[in-house]
Amino acid sequence: MLYLTVSHIVPFLVVLAYLSYSLLVPVAADRWCVDNPKDITFRRLGTKTPYRHVQNKDVRNIATVDGCTVGKIWGLFRHGTRNPSKSIIDHMRGTLVELQRDILENGRLCRNQLELFERWKPRITIAEAKLLVREGGDELYQLGARFRKRFGQSLPTHYDADEFRFKFTKTERAEYSARNFTRGLFGRNEQIQYPEALRRDPVLRFYKGCEKWKRQIKENPYSYREMDRFGSSKEMKTVIEKLSKRIGTFVSPEEVHAIYQTCAFETAWDEREISPWCLLFDKESIATMEYSEDLKYYWIDGYGYALTYQQACSAFSDLFLSFNNAASPRFTFYFTHSGTLLKSIAFLNLYKDNEPLSAQHYRYKRKWRVSHIDAFGSNLYFVLYNCSNGTQTIALYHQERLTHIPGCPEDTLLCNYDYFGQLYTDRIAQCDLTTMCSEPHVPSLQKDEL
């Protein structure tokens, strides 16, 4: 979704005046050429990064670790690659078609790259907005197949409703992600039982029912201040200037965002094809666009405001209920969305930087990079291991990789389950979404409430 706030207007006029002068200067005879466009965009496409860029291909058996065997598994899985939202499709079918003409008439690109623009056409219609694409189905199918290889000794060969719980949100992309995952896990002949999908699922999509978060954070222009400030930075001005010269006409910040999003989606859709829109970027430009994405999601879905991630207690209450109740299915798999994954990551204190991300921190090395932590198909799952000495340990896997659990001892990737439980005792006990998300009659959150 594109947000246009008052803070966009002045920076936009400054950029317009700057570029009006810049574009009057004769361009160099050299044309912009990209030798390896896949290298430029690799792992730099924000939340639209394809899962193949972050997946773990190592399928060594992990059903037994340090002499402990799998007791239970609980996990969150983001849906696979999808189509864009209606607003981006509108840009693809309108704005980008106009820019395509400008590129073919005035663009400063190499001949072979101009040929890609000559052949480009918008691939989808508004009616196909946000639907799972073939690549997205394959991402989850392969994920399920690798899951079987890693945990095969612990997973029943066939589906058993007493052993497995699969659930998805009330969206096409989540449903078919779940169905493709189970095909990879069991094969194509199993009849899986799915509970009724809920539009406002308190576990899978808790934030949809949190009006306080929606109004005071997501819809609050103040929450986008760092992204807006970065939008008027010299780095972003440079991106706009470069693209304007390569295209042959001035492009606005909104158009640059649409180009970046189209580059990302078309890259995610098919690894064999190159989106011509990616050819307009160099490494520095694509990294700049990526940071703008990081700022947006940090403040809306991450660490920016405590309420954002506190509400994820609802999902983790379900984890403890599952692990502590012997009657619960051993294997729980939830298929959900970016908003759930990012808030859950922040709830766990994963990828937390020492200082809040801001417009001025672009050159700093950061942990919060949504291209890495929230690509299409991203996953976050816990494995409860039963050990021979009667104790239980818990392991966290993110993007299929064993990951240290914040708060657990630094010298081990497996954490004593009782110790792990103590880390969250208070937050789980106080997890009341009705109270947490009720909107009081007070002003919106301010900076000193971060």
Side-chain angles (χ1 to χ4, degrees):
M1 184 179 292
L2 299 173
Y3 294 87
L4 187 61
T5 65
V6 174
S7 59
H8 284 97
I9 305 301
V10 174
F12 175 81
L13 294 176
V14 172
V15 172
L16 180 59
Y18 175 79
L19 288 173
S20 297
Y21 168 79
S22 299
L23 291 173
L24 292 175
V25 179
V27 297
D30 292 340
R31 292 178 177 269
W32 170 246
C33 301
V34 178
D35 294 328
N36 190 350
K38 290 186 177 181
D39 180 57
I40 289 175
T41 59
F42 185 68
R43 290 195 183 184
R44 298 182 183 92
L45 297 173
T47 60
K48 311 309 181 292
T49 299
Y51 189 66
R52 63 180 179 270
H53 286 188
V54 300
Q55 71 181 22
N56 181 11
K57 296 181 180 180
D58 184 350
V59 292
R60 282 178 291 183
N61 188 286
I62 50 177
T64 301
V65 177
D66 290 350
C68 305
T69 57
V70 172
K72 289 191 173 186
I73 299 176
W74 182 98
L76 300 171
F77 297 78
R78 186 187 173 192
H79 60 77
T81 294
R82 61 165 172 83
N83 282 332
S85 63
K86 292 180 180 180
S87 62
I88 296 299
I89 295 175
D90 277 338
H91 278 292
M92 286 180 171
R93 301 181 65 83
T95 305
L96 267 61
V97 172
E98 295 175 3
L99 291 176
Q100 179 190 29
R101 295 193 201 103
D102 291 324
I103 289 168
L104 295 178
E105 293 175 5
N106 306 306
R108 306 297 299 175
L109 302 177
C110 287
R111 181 64 238 170
N112 64 332
Q113 293 168 15
L114 287 173
E115 289 173 355
L116 289 177
F117 276 103
E118 288 173 348
R119 297 195 296 269
W120 181 84
K121 291 181 180 179
R123 304 188 197 180
I124 54 175
T125 64
I126 294 294
E128 298 170 296
K130 292 192 174 182
L131 297 182
L132 192 75
V133 299
R134 178 177 295 181
E135 175 73 11
D138 188 63
E139 286 169 339
L140 271 295
Y141 177 85
Q142 297 298 336
L143 187 56
R146 289 193 299 274
F147 215 92
R148 166 65 63 184
K149 291 179 180 178
R150 293 192 185 104
F151 296 101
Q153 296 176 9
S154 300
L155 297 173
T157 303
H158 299 286
Y159 171 73
D160 181 338
D162 292 329
E163 294 270 44
F164 290 92
R165 176 175 171 82
F166 298 99
K167 193 176 184 184
F168 47 77
T169 65
K170 199 168 186 175
T171 61
E172 184 269 357
R173 56 195 181 277
E175 176 179 349
Y176 284 95
S177 291
R179 294 185 185 278
N180 278 281
F181 179 88
T182 58
R183 290 190 187 106
L185 192 63
F186 297 114
R188 299 181 179 273
N189 298 320
E190 301 285 334
Q191 297 296 316
I192 312 298
Q193 296 178 22
Y194 299 99
E196 179 184 1
L198 305 176
R199 192 169 299 280
R200 292 189 174 187
D201 193 301
V203 174
L204 276 68
R205 221 176 183 186
F206 42 82
Y207 52 94
K208 284 294 183 179
C210 192
E211 288 300 314
K212 182 178 179 180
W213 172 80
K214 180 180 177 182
R215 295 186 183 278
Q216 295 195 15
I217 298 175
K218 185 179 181 181
E219 296 177 352
N220 183 356
Y222 188 80
S223 300
Y224 300 86
R225 69 200 182 284
E226 294 301 332
M227 185 180 72
D228 292 346
R229 288 170 182 167
F230 191 64
S232 59
S233 66
K234 67 176 183 179
E235 289 87 1
M236 194 61 77
K237 291 177 184 177
T238 300
V239 172
I240 296 172
E241 179 182 3
K242 287 177 178 178
L243 265 64
S244 296
K245 288 182 178 180
R246 290 164 190 170
I247 291 171
T249 187
F250 170 74
V251 288
S252 69
E254 185 178 26
E255 289 169 334
V256 171
H257 178 78
I259 292 170
Y260 176 70
Q261 290 290 301
T262 302
C263 162
F265 276 107
E266 292 187 345
T267 297
W269 288 340
D270 191 341
E271 66 176 322
R272 296 166 297 180
E273 295 187 18
I274 295 172
S275 170
W277 299 101
C278 295
L279 303 176
L280 297 172
F281 295 100
D282 51 40
K283 276 191 176 183
E284 180 65 20
S285 296
I286 212 81
T288 301
M289 300 303 296
E290 179 193 27
Y291 190 67
S292 180
E293 290 271 291
D294 288 343
L295 285 171
K296 172 185 174 181
Y297 290 102
Y298 181 92
W299 290 97
I300 300 303
D301 286 324
Y303 290 104
Y305 299 96
L307 174 61
T308 300
Y309 54 85
Q310 286 174 347
Q311 58 185 311
C313 66
S314 178
F316 289 94
S317 294
D318 187 89
L319 178 148
F320 284 106
L321 183 64
S322 173
F323 281 0
N324 294 338
N325 185 353
S328 295
R330 290 179 61 206
F331 307 105
T332 300
F333 301 89
Y334 292 138
F335 297 85
T336 182
H337 303 266
S338 170
T340 302
L341 265 293
L342 288 176
K343 294 175 184 68
S344 297
I345 283 171
F347 181 87
L348 293 169
N349 273 325
L350 284 168
Y351 310 110
K352 186 174 185 179
D353 294 284
N354 293 331
E355 294 183 18
L357 258 62
S358 70
Q360 66 188 29
H361 290 160
Y362 171 58
R363 299 294 175 186
Y364 293 16
K365 185 176 181 180
R366 64 190 185 280
K367 298 176 183 177
W368 182 270
R369 296 187 65 181
V370 294
S371 298
H372 294 220
I373 66 178
D374 188 40
F376 283 127
S378 286
N379 46 86
L380 189 76
Y381 55 87
F382 289 86
V383 180
L384 183 65
Y385 288 98
N386 296 323
C387 303
S388 57
N389 61 2
T391 63
Q392 291 180 308
T393 60
I394 189 170
L396 168 62
Y397 293 84
H398 179 230
Q399 311 300 43
E400 306 175 78
R401 292 177 178 84
L402 187 57
T403 303
H404 177 258
I405 300 173
C408 288
E410 294 288 342
D411 59 350
T412 179
L413 290 173
L414 295 181
C415 188
N416 177 274
Y417 182 60
D418 290 337
Y419 185 94
F420 173 78
Q422 292 172 9
L423 295 176
Y424 297 94
T425 298
D426 291 342
R427 282 197 280 174
I428 298 303
Q430 299 167 13
C431 186
D432 181 350
L433 288 188
T434 301
T435 301
M436 188 182 300
C437 292
S438 296
E439 188 174 18
H441 297 289
V442 297
S444 297
L445 297 174
Q446 298 300 317
K447 190 171 183 178
D448 58 0
E449 297 180 72
L450 298 184

